[in-house]
Amino acid sequence: MTAATETDRGLETKHRALWALGDYATVATDVVAPLGPVLVTASGIGTGDRVLDVAAGTGNVAIPAALRGADVVAGDLCPDLLARGEASARARGIGLRWQQANAEALPWDSDEFDAVLSCVGVMFAPHHQRAADELVRVCRPGGRIGLISWTPEGFIGEMFATTKPYVAAPPPGVQPPALWGNADHVRALLGERVTEFTTQRCALRVDRFDDGAMFRDFFKANYGPTIAAYRGIADEPDRIAALDAQLAALGDRYLAGSSAMEWEYLLVTARKR
């Protein structure tokens, strides 16, 4: 095994464990659920379309696509999230396939799907170009690629910037997730392999939190990256207190005395040439 392969496998294991922390299914259901139908609609998903949801989590895109009559596969690195999504879909009588998959090495044939989608999912793959290459590869010529990613300037992008000083530096070559929220970055990743490339900055209205402290405590309990940041400073009470204060202040700033936050994201649609 080469050193590069060992590093990649180590990253895969780390990311799988990261998203198994806490209860991302609660975040998906209580906060980001509206994004899935937005992406399905923007991508024009309809009856009979063969759809792949990459980094699907618990199926925020996969389930709405299946409800449109599409033939859907949900792939994710974390089996715990897939199991939660499959149980939810089964309880609602929704049929689709669930399969463990690494976004940087998708286990499907080239040109297999009519639409390849990812909602705040593929953005967390460590190597952006590898993941983008896979999105394009498995999409058929003329098929659709649809993405939703948090922007660097938006709320989640600022949250990542807030926690960055409290986490270990990533290995060489690993890029920040929020770069997927930059239109120029995504355009460069997809390159001339796509046409009809369109982008739109939108906002998710989040009325789940009364104040910044409530937001912070929800993410400390449920969101893997936030949990990991706190675990890394578990023996440093001063740093815990500082991060507590900074995350609560971020939430309060975005609430600005109102009952809801606006979390900016980038919506991308394109067609494979």
Side-chain angles (χ1 to χ4, degrees):
M1 183 186 298
T2 67
T5 302
E6 290 176 355
T7 299
D8 289 346
R9 291 192 177 181
L11 277 173
E12 181 176 320
T13 299
K14 180 179 178 180
H15 276 247
R16 185 180 297 112
L18 175 72
W19 292 105
L21 294 173
D23 186 4
Y24 183 74
T26 296
V27 179
T29 300
D30 292 1
V31 181
V32 303
L35 295 181
V38 168
L39 186 56
V40 168
T41 297
S43 302
I45 303 305
T47 301
D49 281 334
R50 296 166 298 160
V51 175
L52 174 63
D53 182 7
V54 178
T58 56
N60 271 8
V61 170
I63 290 174
L67 289 170
R68 292 281 185 97
D71 177 14
V72 182
V73 180
D76 196 273
L77 192 62
C78 183
D80 295 346
L81 297 183
L82 291 172
R84 293 285 295 274
E86 185 173 14
S88 176
R90 188 186 309 115
R92 299 168 62 184
I94 302 168
L96 61 145
R97 288 165 287 162
W98 303 81
Q99 184 170 337
Q100 189 170 340
N102 184 336
E104 296 184 0
L106 296 173
W108 292 286
D109 292 335
S110 298
D111 306 333
E112 186 167 344
F113 296 95
D114 298 311
V116 180
L117 312 180
S118 187
C119 178
V120 296
V122 74
M123 66 180 291
F124 293 99
H127 306 101
H128 295 187
Q129 192 62 64
R130 289 187 203 173
D133 291 348
E134 286 294 274
L135 296 177
V136 175
R137 181 184 66 80
V138 300
C139 185
R140 67 164 175 82
R144 289 147 284 169
I145 295 172
L147 307 168
I148 283 180
S149 306
W150 303 119
T151 65
E153 305 84 4
F155 179 78
I156 296 297
E158 287 205 50
M159 184 186 76
F160 292 151
T162 300
T163 58
K164 182 179 178 180
Y166 298 90
V167 299
V174 173
Q175 295 172 282
L179 278 178
W180 281 87
N182 178 286
D184 291 339
H185 182 71
V186 181
R187 187 70 183 91
L189 291 174
L190 300 178
E192 296 305 314
R193 298 171 296 179
V194 301
T195 186
E196 298 181 29
F197 180 86
T198 65
T199 66
Q200 181 179 359
R201 286 180 178 255
C202 309
L204 172 68
R205 180 178 173 83
V206 178
D207 58 3
R208 173 70 169 70
F209 309 113
D210 295 335
D211 56 27
M214 185 177 180
F215 145 74
R216 177 200 64 210
D217 293 344
F218 179 84
F219 269 63
K220 283 178 69 173
N222 297 297
Y223 192 61
T226 307
I227 295 169
Y230 275 95
R231 286 190 176 185
I233 57 174
D235 297 327
E236 303 175 76
D238 290 347
R239 298 188 79 198
I240 291 174
L243 183 54
D244 274 347
Q246 290 167 17
L247 288 176
L250 175 65
D252 286 335
R253 176 159 59 85
Y254 268 79
L255 281 166
S258 70
S259 61
M261 303 177 185
E262 299 286 327
W263 293 7
E264 186 181 64
Y265 62 89
L266 182 73
L267 170 63
V268 173
T269 58
R271 283 191 181 272
K272 181 176 174 178
R273 289 189 186 274

